[in-house]
mmCIF file of all heavy atoms in Angstrom:
data_model
loop_
_atom_site.group_PDB
_atom_site.id
_atom_site.type_symbol
_atom_site.label_atom_id
_atom_site.label_comp_id
_atom_site.label_asym_id
_atom_site.label_seq_id
_atom_site.Cartn_x
_atom_site.Cartn_y
_atom_site.Cartn_z
ATOM 1 N N HIS Y 1417 23.560 -5.323 1.941
ATOM 2 C CA HIS Y 1417 23.841 -4.694 3.258
ATOM 3 C C HIS Y 1417 22.846 -3.563 3.593
ATOM 4 O O HIS Y 1417 22.368 -3.468 4.728
ATOM 5 C CB HIS Y 1417 25.272 -4.154 3.289
ATOM 6 C CG HIS Y 1417 26.262 -5.259 3.122
ATOM 7 N ND1 HIS Y 1417 27.366 -5.092 2.287
ATOM 8 C CD2 HIS Y 1417 26.354 -6.465 3.666
ATOM 9 C CE1 HIS Y 1417 28.128 -6.214 2.344
ATOM 10 N NE2 HIS Y 1417 27.537 -7.071 3.178
ATOM 11 N N VAL Y 1418 22.546 -2.742 2.631
ATOM 12 C CA VAL Y 1418 21.727 -1.554 2.899
ATOM 13 C C VAL Y 1418 20.265 -1.901 2.948
ATOM 14 O O VAL Y 1418 19.557 -1.545 3.894
ATOM 15 C CB VAL Y 1418 21.966 -0.466 1.823
ATOM 16 C CG1 VAL Y 1418 21.008 0.722 2.079
ATOM 17 C CG2 VAL Y 1418 23.437 0.004 1.933
ATOM 18 N N LEU Y 1419 19.715 -2.649 1.930
ATOM 19 C CA LEU Y 1419 18.307 -2.885 1.833
ATOM 20 C C LEU Y 1419 17.689 -3.583 3.069
ATOM 21 O O LEU Y 1419 16.696 -3.195 3.590
ATOM 22 C CB LEU Y 1419 18.013 -3.670 0.542
ATOM 23 C CG LEU Y 1419 16.514 -3.933 0.287
ATOM 24 C CD1 LEU Y 1419 15.721 -2.668 0.170
ATOM 25 C CD2 LEU Y 1419 16.355 -4.765 -0.963
ATOM 26 N N PRO Y 1420 18.336 -4.684 3.573
ATOM 27 C CA PRO Y 1420 17.765 -5.283 4.743
ATOM 28 C C PRO Y 1420 17.687 -4.327 5.960
ATOM 29 O O PRO Y 1420 16.822 -4.536 6.809
ATOM 30 C CB PRO Y 1420 18.703 -6.468 5.022
ATOM 31 C CG PRO Y 1420 19.388 -6.721 3.729
ATOM 32 C CD PRO Y 1420 19.484 -5.422 3.051
ATOM 33 N N ASN Y 1421 18.578 -3.388 6.034
ATOM 34 C CA ASN Y 1421 18.619 -2.513 7.196
ATOM 35 C C ASN Y 1421 17.707 -1.310 7.082
ATOM 36 O O ASN Y 1421 17.643 -0.476 8.034
ATOM 37 C CB ASN Y 1421 20.068 -2.074 7.423
ATOM 38 C CG ASN Y 1421 20.904 -3.211 8.059
ATOM 39 O OD1 ASN Y 1421 20.838 -3.448 9.227
ATOM 40 N ND2 ASN Y 1421 21.660 -3.887 7.196
ATOM 41 N N ILE Y 1422 17.142 -1.061 5.923
ATOM 42 C CA ILE Y 1422 16.141 -0.039 5.768
ATOM 43 C C ILE Y 1422 14.763 -0.582 5.507
ATOM 44 O O ILE Y 1422 13.845 0.200 5.113
ATOM 45 C CB ILE Y 1422 16.536 0.957 4.595
ATOM 46 C CG1 ILE Y 1422 16.475 0.247 3.267
ATOM 47 C CG2 ILE Y 1422 17.931 1.585 4.865
ATOM 48 C CD1 ILE Y 1422 16.699 1.205 2.097
ATOM 49 N N SER Y 1423 14.576 -1.841 5.758
ATOM 50 C CA SER Y 1423 13.327 -2.481 5.458
ATOM 51 C C SER Y 1423 12.180 -2.045 6.383
ATOM 52 O O SER Y 1423 11.022 -1.923 5.965
ATOM 53 C CB SER Y 1423 13.460 -3.967 5.560
ATOM 54 O OG SER Y 1423 13.848 -4.384 6.786
ATOM 55 N N THR Y 1424 12.555 -1.753 7.634
ATOM 56 C CA THR Y 1424 11.508 -1.403 8.580
ATOM 57 C C THR Y 1424 10.711 -0.122 8.192
ATOM 58 O O THR Y 1424 9.489 -0.131 8.125
ATOM 59 C CB THR Y 1424 12.097 -1.255 10.002
ATOM 60 O OG1 THR Y 1424 12.590 -2.515 10.432
ATOM 61 C CG2 THR Y 1424 11.030 -0.793 11.013
ATOM 62 N N PRO Y 1425 11.411 1.029 7.953
ATOM 63 C CA PRO Y 1425 10.659 2.190 7.562
ATOM 64 C C PRO Y 1425 9.878 2.020 6.200
ATOM 65 O O PRO Y 1425 8.819 2.608 5.980
ATOM 66 C CB PRO Y 1425 11.702 3.277 7.395
ATOM 67 C CG PRO Y 1425 12.965 2.591 7.274
ATOM 68 C CD PRO Y 1425 12.828 1.329 8.085
ATOM 69 N N LEU Y 1426 10.477 1.184 5.324
ATOM 70 C CA LEU Y 1426 9.779 0.919 4.038
ATOM 71 C C LEU Y 1426 8.508 0.100 4.250
ATOM 72 O O LEU Y 1426 7.523 0.348 3.565
ATOM 73 C CB LEU Y 1426 10.741 0.152 3.065
ATOM 74 C CG LEU Y 1426 11.931 0.959 2.565
ATOM 75 C CD1 LEU Y 1426 12.816 0.070 1.759
ATOM 76 C CD2 LEU Y 1426 11.436 2.173 1.781
ATOM 77 N N ILE Y 1427 8.527 -0.820 5.178
ATOM 78 C CA ILE Y 1427 7.342 -1.641 5.418
ATOM 79 C C ILE Y 1427 6.229 -0.761 6.060
ATOM 80 O O ILE Y 1427 5.083 -0.838 5.666
ATOM 81 C CB ILE Y 1427 7.675 -2.802 6.376
ATOM 82 C CG1 ILE Y 1427 8.552 -3.792 5.625
ATOM 83 C CG2 ILE Y 1427 6.406 -3.484 6.859
ATOM 84 C CD1 ILE Y 1427 9.055 -4.897 6.481
ATOM 85 N N ILE Y 1428 6.661 0.133 6.936
ATOM 86 C CA ILE Y 1428 5.707 1.037 7.558
ATOM 87 C C ILE Y 1428 5.112 1.960 6.523
ATOM 88 O O ILE Y 1428 3.892 2.227 6.485
ATOM 89 C CB ILE Y 1428 6.351 1.831 8.705
ATOM 90 C CG1 ILE Y 1428 6.750 0.871 9.838
ATOM 91 C CG2 ILE Y 1428 5.436 2.898 9.250
ATOM 92 C CD1 ILE Y 1428 7.552 1.525 10.920
ATOM 93 N N GLU Y 1429 5.940 2.503 5.647
ATOM 94 C CA GLU Y 1429 5.503 3.355 4.539
ATOM 95 C C GLU Y 1429 4.562 2.627 3.608
ATOM 96 O O GLU Y 1429 3.594 3.231 3.098
ATOM 97 C CB GLU Y 1429 6.682 3.907 3.780
ATOM 98 C CG GLU Y 1429 6.346 4.861 2.629
ATOM 99 C CD GLU Y 1429 5.744 6.151 3.144
ATOM 100 O OE1 GLU Y 1429 5.927 6.531 4.283
ATOM 101 O OE2 GLU Y 1429 4.964 6.748 2.351
ATOM 102 N N THR Y 1430 4.796 1.352 3.419
ATOM 103 C CA THR Y 1430 3.929 0.552 2.500
ATOM 104 C C THR Y 1430 2.485 0.459 3.036
ATOM 105 O O THR Y 1430 1.533 0.570 2.274
ATOM 106 C CB THR Y 1430 4.501 -0.854 2.323
ATOM 107 O OG1 THR Y 1430 5.800 -0.800 1.764
ATOM 108 C CG2 THR Y 1430 3.626 -1.714 1.419
ATOM 109 N N THR Y 1431 2.324 0.309 4.324
ATOM 110 C CA THR Y 1431 0.984 0.223 4.900
ATOM 111 C C THR Y 1431 0.213 1.521 4.691
ATOM 112 O O THR Y 1431 -0.963 1.503 4.351
ATOM 113 C CB THR Y 1431 1.039 -0.170 6.377
ATOM 114 O OG1 THR Y 1431 1.818 0.835 7.112
ATOM 115 C CG2 THR Y 1431 1.715 -1.527 6.553
ATOM 116 N N SER Y 1432 0.925 2.619 4.960
ATOM 117 C CA SER Y 1432 0.207 3.909 4.804
ATOM 118 C C SER Y 1432 -0.061 4.244 3.350
ATOM 119 O O SER Y 1432 -1.119 4.826 2.999
ATOM 120 C CB SER Y 1432 1.004 5.067 5.480
ATOM 121 O OG SER Y 1432 2.293 5.143 4.868
ATOM 122 N N THR Y 1433 0.905 3.896 2.443
ATOM 123 C CA THR Y 1433 0.682 4.196 1.029
ATOM 124 C C THR Y 1433 -0.439 3.331 0.458
ATOM 125 O O THR Y 1433 -1.190 3.826 -0.419
ATOM 126 C CB THR Y 1433 2.000 3.901 0.282
ATOM 127 O OG1 THR Y 1433 3.025 4.731 0.733
ATOM 128 C CG2 THR Y 1433 1.819 4.181 -1.235
ATOM 129 N N PHE Y 1434 -0.608 2.123 0.931
ATOM 130 C CA PHE Y 1434 -1.695 1.333 0.413
ATOM 131 C C PHE Y 1434 -3.098 1.954 0.738
ATOM 132 O O PHE Y 1434 -3.949 1.930 -0.118
ATOM 133 C CB PHE Y 1434 -1.633 -0.083 1.079
ATOM 134 C CG PHE Y 1434 -2.732 -1.017 0.609
ATOM 135 C CD1 PHE Y 1434 -2.630 -1.746 -0.514
ATOM 136 C CD2 PHE Y 1434 -3.891 -1.098 1.335
ATOM 137 C CE1 PHE Y 1434 -3.656 -2.588 -0.950
ATOM 138 C CE2 PHE Y 1434 -4.952 -1.925 0.917
ATOM 139 C CZ PHE Y 1434 -4.844 -2.673 -0.247
ATOM 140 N N THR Y 1435 -3.228 2.517 1.958
ATOM 141 C CA THR Y 1435 -4.474 3.138 2.275
ATOM 142 C C THR Y 1435 -4.715 4.320 1.365
ATOM 143 O O THR Y 1435 -5.876 4.544 0.851
ATOM 144 C CB THR Y 1435 -4.502 3.600 3.749
ATOM 145 O OG1 THR Y 1435 -3.448 4.593 3.903
ATOM 146 C CG2 THR Y 1435 -4.225 2.423 4.657
ATOM 147 N N ILE Y 1436 -3.691 5.146 1.075
ATOM 148 C CA ILE Y 1436 -3.860 6.276 0.170
ATOM 149 C C ILE Y 1436 -4.166 5.821 -1.242
ATOM 150 O O ILE Y 1436 -4.992 6.400 -1.920
ATOM 151 C CB ILE Y 1436 -2.606 7.139 0.221
ATOM 152 C CG1 ILE Y 1436 -2.326 7.648 1.602
ATOM 153 C CG2 ILE Y 1436 -2.729 8.346 -0.753
ATOM 154 C CD1 ILE Y 1436 -0.999 8.426 1.698
ATOM 155 N N ALA Y 1437 -3.511 4.732 -1.702
ATOM 156 C CA ALA Y 1437 -3.788 4.198 -2.999
ATOM 157 C C ALA Y 1437 -5.191 3.693 -3.121
ATOM 158 O O ALA Y 1437 -5.869 3.896 -4.136
ATOM 159 C CB ALA Y 1437 -2.766 3.077 -3.274
#
Side-chain angles (χ1 to χ4, degrees):
H1417 300 135
V1418 175
L1419 183 58
N1421 286 279
I1422 66 172
S1423 60
T1424 297
L1426 291 175
I1427 292 173
I1428 296 174
E1429 181 65 27
T1430 299
T1431 59
S1432 61
T1433 299
F1434 179 86
T1435 62
I1436 300 174

